C-alpha cells in the first residue's frame, strides 16, 4: 500500500523509473495534504472563545475534511492500480484478429477506468477547495496562511487530476464518453478557477 509507506519511501518510488505511482497518485496526495491542513485550521479554531459562533460549523468541517483526507489516500492506490491495468491490457496477445479485438476492448475498458479515477480526484479536490474557503473566512486568523495553503494544494490536486484525465482522452473511442468527460472537465476547471480567485482574495496575506 502506497499510503503505508514512509514519506521518504513513497517519494523514492515516485522518483523511480516505474510508471506508477505517477502524477495521479501525486495529485491525490496533494488533495490529502490539503484536507489535512484544512482540518488543522478547524482544530485550531475549535475551543477558542472568540470563535464560539462557528464552533459547530468547524466541528462538522473537520469531520468532512478527515473523510476526504482518507479518501484521497485510497484514490492514490486506485490511480496506480488503474494505470497498471492499462499496461497489462497493452501486453495482451495480438497474433490473431480475435486476440486483437479482445485486446482493444480491454484497453478501452481499462483506459476509461484510468480516466475516471483522476476525474474523481479532481471532483473531490474541488470540494476540499470549498471547505478550505470556509477556514479562510471563518477559521482561526493566526492560521490563515495554513488555510490558504490548503486551498492552493487542493487546486493543485484539481489540476493534477484533470491533466491525468486529459492525457487519456485521445486513446478513447467512445464519443458519448468523451463528450461527457469533456463537459465535466470544463465545469470543474471553471469552478476551481473562480473559487481560487474569490477565496484567496479574502485571505489578505
Amino acid at each position: 500500500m502506497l499510503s503505508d509507506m514512509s514519506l521518504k519511501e513513497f517519494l523514492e518510488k515516485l522518483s523511480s523509473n516505474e510508471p506508477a505511482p505517477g502524477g495521479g497518485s501525486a495529485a491525490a496526495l496533494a488533495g490529502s495534504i490539503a484536507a489535512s491542513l484544512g482540518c488543522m485550521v478547524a482544530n485550531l479554531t475549535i475551543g477558542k472563545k472568540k470563535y464560539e459562533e462557528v464552533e459547530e460549523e468547524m466541528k462538522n468541517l473537520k469531520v468532512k475534511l478527515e473523510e476526504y483526507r482518507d479518501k484521497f489516500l485510497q484514490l492514490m492506490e486506485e490511480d496506480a492500480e488503474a494505470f497498471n491495468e492499462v499496461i497489462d491490457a497493452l501486453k495482451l496477445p495480438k497474433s490473431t484478429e480475435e486476440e486483437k479485438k479482445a485486446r482493444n476492448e480491454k484497453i478501452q475498458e481499462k483506459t476509461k477506468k484510468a480516466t475516471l479515477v483522476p476525474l474523481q480526484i479532481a471532483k473531490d479536490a474541488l470540494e476540499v477547495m470549498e471547505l478550505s474557503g470556509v477556514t479562510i473566512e471563518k477559521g482561526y486568523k493566526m492560521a490563515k496562511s495554513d488555510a490558504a495553503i490548503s486551498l492552493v494544494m487542493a487546486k493543485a490536486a484539481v489540476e493534477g487530476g484533470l491533466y491525468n484525465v486529459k492525457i487519456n482522452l485521445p486513446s478513447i473511442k467512445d464519443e458519448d464518453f468523451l463528450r461527457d468527460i469533456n463537459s465535466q472537465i470544463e465545469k470543474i476547471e471553471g469552478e476551481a478557477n473562480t473559487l481560487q480567485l474569490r477565496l484567496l482574495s479574502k485571505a489578505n496575506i
Side-chain angles (χ1 to χ4, degrees):
M1 294 283 287
L2 297 174
S3 57
D4 290 335
M5 295 178 178
S6 70
L7 180 58
K8 183 179 179 182
E9 288 171 339
F10 175 76
L11 293 177
E12 285 175 351
K13 192 168 183 64
L14 193 64
S15 304
S16 75
N17 61 359
E18 295 179 26
S25 293
L29 179 59
S32 189
I33 292 171
S36 299
L37 267 175
C39 192
M40 183 191 83
V41 178
N43 275 320
L44 287 170
T45 308
I46 293 166
K48 287 187 169 55
K49 189 171 181 62
K50 186 178 177 182
Y51 297 89
E52 283 178 346
E53 289 184 1
V54 297
E55 176 143 340
E56 284 307 309
E57 185 175 6
M58 286 294 151
K59 286 180 178 178
N60 292 332
L61 194 70
K62 172 190 169 184
V63 171
K64 290 179 183 177
L65 286 166
E66 286 173 340
E67 289 173 353
Y68 277 119
R69 177 196 65 200
D70 296 340
K71 186 178 180 184
F72 279 121
L73 293 180
Q74 181 58 39
L75 287 167
M76 269 177 60
E77 309 288 347
E78 291 179 15
D79 186 82
E81 288 169 9
F83 184 81
N84 285 329
E85 287 176 11
V86 173
I87 298 300
D88 289 341
L90 290 167
K91 293 176 182 177
L92 289 172
K94 50 182 177 178
S95 301
T96 66
E97 288 303 315
E98 190 173 292
E99 285 179 346
K100 287 178 183 177
K101 182 181 178 184
R103 176 178 177 272
N104 287 337
E105 287 176 356
K106 186 62 70 173
I107 290 170
Q108 288 296 301
E109 174 194 337
K110 297 304 181 181
T111 303
K112 284 183 179 180
K113 180 180 176 181
T115 301
L116 293 174
V117 175
L119 183 65
Q120 189 62 53
I121 291 170
K123 288 178 178 179
D124 289 341
L126 183 64
E127 293 293 325
V128 172
M129 284 185 71
E130 293 183 356
L131 297 174
S132 297
V134 177
T135 65
I136 288 173
E137 293 180 282
K138 301 180 182 181
Y140 182 49
K141 298 303 179 188
M142 293 297 290
K144 190 175 284 190
S145 62
D146 301 291
I149 293 166
S150 171
L151 179 75
V152 171
M153 292 292 289
K155 177 64 158 44
V158 171
E159 293 177 342
L162 292 182
Y163 279 132
N164 261 33
V165 172
K166 292 174 184 178
I167 196 67
N168 288 318
L169 298 185
S171 302
I172 297 173
K173 309 301 181 187
D174 186 335
E175 293 296 331
D176 290 335
F177 182 87
L178 290 173
R179 274 193 293 272
D180 177 50
I181 297 299
N182 279 313
S183 175
Q184 291 190 60
I185 289 171
E186 185 177 353
K187 183 173 183 291
I188 293 168
E189 284 180 331
E191 290 182 9
N193 289 334
T194 300
L195 270 176
Q196 184 179 42
L197 287 172
R198 179 172 65 83
L199 294 172
L200 285 183
S201 69
K202 294 184 178 183
N204 295 321
I205 297 173

